[in-house]
Amino acid sequence: MSQDDYETYKLGDWELQSGEKIVDAHIAFKTFGDPELPAILYPGWFSGLLSDNFWLIGEDKTLDPRKYFIIVTGLFGNGQSSSPSNQPTSGPFPRVSFYDNVRAQHELVSKHFGITHLRAVLGWSMGAGQTFQWATQYPEYMDLAVPFCGSAKTSLHNQVFLEGVKSALLAVKNTPSAGSGEIGVQKNPSEFRIWTTEEKEIGLKAMGRVYAGWGFSQAFYRQKVYETVLGYKSLEDFMQKFWEKWACSKGWTYHLPILVLSSRLLTILDPENILVMLQTWQNGDVSKQEPYNGDFEQAMSSIKAKTLVLPGKTDLYFPPEDSEYEVACMAPGVGKLDVFPSIWGHWAGGPGDSKEDVEWLDKQLGQLFAENEPRGITGLVEKITKVL
């Protein structure tokens, strides 16, 4: 399936939490299954294209298009939904939040598809952040929520990690970071200078090398899994052909080196797209909305969907300790925690390189869906589907 095989839904001039707006905004999406089936929303992640979510969907998996209508959505800034790369602008892109993304997804689901209730919302990394946002922004809208390897509030340590990624990218343009949650500081704010091709390549490769120390765990590197499982010849080979390739390419299509002929051609990412998503991520906090007004514990206690929180045991920036606190803030019986027993770090949660972790995740999803009956008309449709 082509990475360009998707649809867009026009949102008009989209007002944002920041008071700014995206002119003539749109959200990109891809669907699987019959719209009459119970619906599952599966939002995308940092840098990912819609196609980078497909690995968890299939007739052999819990997310089976024969049983569910699955909607995959792209973040503002991912290059398919409204982004600097596809939005005419003479200056920095408007400040976007998780709230803004989820409100756009809600409009897509409710107005375009006419769906009044979701069977589940789930996602990896920034997709997990959107899942938490859905569960607090529209608490009655779904039966189940499954955030994996992500958080409801971007921790201070996570913000520090992202500052390193962002600063490495900006340095090539001689632009310092304005601080966590900001994009950067131009020497002359009245001049918005586009990136040269050389700046893009050097800056993005630097960003990829910084990210390399965070995406996988110490044990992953110690055991040289990049050689034994992924098939790279050396650490430098891995840094260049995996991390630099990711940083410079649109989305992240995963193929072992021996299958490189089946991978898509390298297309340079727009650094401004990356900066939009970084800024969204750094400011992640489900309490930054009414009626919570900064009260994180109140926001988490408002969640009504049965929520399965799945952190990675060796995730360096979404550690299980943070997830334990999130579940503890939920009402009794709402949240449950389980931990990926993996050395793949953040990549235990996706996007599909570790066969064992994919199987583990799919098993958790299957059990959650089986143990929690759907509500209302969604439940009726699902029961009829099972009988048929």
Side-chain angles (χ1 to χ4, degrees):
M1 183 179 294
S2 169
Q3 65 183 33
D4 297 319
D5 180 19
Y6 64 91
E7 300 177 74
T8 59
Y9 174 68
K10 288 194 173 294
L11 298 161
D13 292 347
W14 199 242
E15 301 289 339
L16 304 171
Q17 269 192 317
S18 62
E20 302 174 57
K21 67 181 176 182
I22 303 174
V23 177
D24 193 23
H26 68 270
I27 181 172
F29 66 95
K30 174 69 179 178
T31 64
F32 299 83
D34 189 326
E36 297 300 318
L37 293 171
I40 295 175
L41 185 73
Y42 183 15
W45 42 278
F46 175 69
S47 87
L49 297 180
L50 298 173
S51 57
D52 291 317
N53 267 18
F54 297 172
W55 59 276
L56 195 56
I57 301 169
E59 294 184 358
D60 61 335
K61 295 185 172 63
T62 301
L63 300 190
D64 184 346
R66 297 172 302 177
K67 299 179 180 178
Y68 301 105
F69 180 55
I70 303 161
I71 308 167
V72 179
T73 57
L75 281 160
F76 288 132
N78 87 319
Q80 295 170 316
S81 294
S82 288
S83 307
S85 62
N86 60 36
Q87 196 87 5
T89 180
S90 59
F93 196 76
R95 293 172 57 87
V96 178
S97 67
F98 278 117
Y99 179 93
D100 300 320
N101 277 280
V102 167
R103 190 168 70 88
Q105 294 160 20
H106 180 267
E107 176 133 334
L108 170 71
V109 169
S110 62
K111 293 189 178 181
H112 181 62
F113 290 113
I115 296 170
T116 58
H117 191 79
L118 293 165
R119 177 63 172 128
V121 181
L122 56 91
W124 173 54
S125 196
M126 280 186 79
Q130 292 165 85
T131 301
F132 278 119
Q133 186 69 44
W134 260 97
T136 53
Q137 196 166 330
Y138 302 103
E140 302 283 356
Y141 213 90
M142 75 293 294
D143 294 331
L144 307 171
V146 191
F148 43 103
C149 297
S151 67
K153 180 178 181 178
T154 305
S155 69
L156 295 176
H157 181 257
N158 197 334
Q159 292 181 46
V160 170
F161 145 56
L162 294 174
E163 273 299 290
V165 171
K166 180 175 67 177
S167 296
L169 177 60
L170 289 170
V172 71
K173 204 178 176 186
N174 199 25
T175 302
S177 170
S180 181
E182 304 294 338
I183 288 181
V185 178
Q186 301 289 337
K187 286 190 172 181
N188 183 349
S190 65
E191 295 181 4
F192 181 74
R193 183 174 67 79
I194 63 172
W195 297 68
T196 67
T197 300
E198 183 180 29
E199 286 173 340
K200 286 183 180 181
E201 184 174 358
I202 294 173
L204 289 167
K205 284 183 176 180
M207 182 192 76
R209 285 182 176 257
V210 171
Y211 218 112
W214 290 95
F216 296 103
S217 74
Q218 294 95 332
F220 174 94
Y221 283 105
R222 186 184 309 117
Q223 297 183 26
K224 296 187 177 181
V225 178
Y226 55 86
E227 293 181 2
T228 59
V229 177
L230 296 181
Y232 292 92
K233 297 177 181 179
S234 65
L235 181 61
E236 183 59 25
D237 189 44
F238 182 52
M239 295 289 280
Q240 291 181 19
K241 295 179 182 177
F242 184 93
W243 283 109
E244 288 186 355
K245 182 177 179 180
W246 158 69
C248 289
S249 61
K250 278 188 176 180
W252 202 328
T253 300
Y254 286 82
H255 299 282
L256 302 185
I258 58 173
L259 300 178
V260 71
L261 290 177
S262 66
S263 66
R264 55 177 163 65
L265 294 176
L266 188 72
T267 306
I268 297 295
L269 263 174
D270 189 321
E272 294 294 332
N273 288 356
I274 290 290
L275 291 170
V276 168
M277 290 181 283
L278 282 172
Q279 182 260 314
T280 301
W281 183 353
Q282 284 192 311
N283 286 295
D285 183 348
V286 295
S287 71
K288 291 182 177 179
Q289 58 177 315
E290 294 184 357
Y292 317 120
N293 300 314
D295 189 331
F296 181 76
E297 293 183 359
Q298 181 189 0
M300 297 303 290
S301 68
S302 76
I303 295 175
K304 293 181 171 56
K306 289 286 186 180
T307 303
L308 178 61
V309 182
L310 301 174
K313 179 182 178 181
T314 57
D315 196 325
L316 298 178
Y317 46 99
F318 292 118
E321 293 83 0
D322 291 348
S323 298
E324 289 171 3
Y325 176 63
E326 291 166 344
V327 172
C329 289
M330 298 179 196
V334 171
K336 179 182 177 182
L337 178 78
D338 209 341
V339 181
F340 278 89
S342 172
I343 67 168
W344 281 68
H346 186 58
W347 260 247
D353 273 344
S354 171
K355 180 180 178 181
E356 292 79 10
D357 290 326
V358 173
E359 291 176 350
W360 186 89
L361 172 59
D362 189 63
K363 181 180 178 182
Q364 310 313 308
L365 293 176
Q367 290 177 347
L368 179 70
F369 278 62
E371 293 170 359
N372 293 277
E373 288 288 327
R375 298 182 298 188
I377 189 66
T378 300
L380 179 61
V381 172
E382 188 162 328
K383 289 175 182 177
I384 293 173
T385 303
K386 287 180 180 178
V387 172
L388 295 176

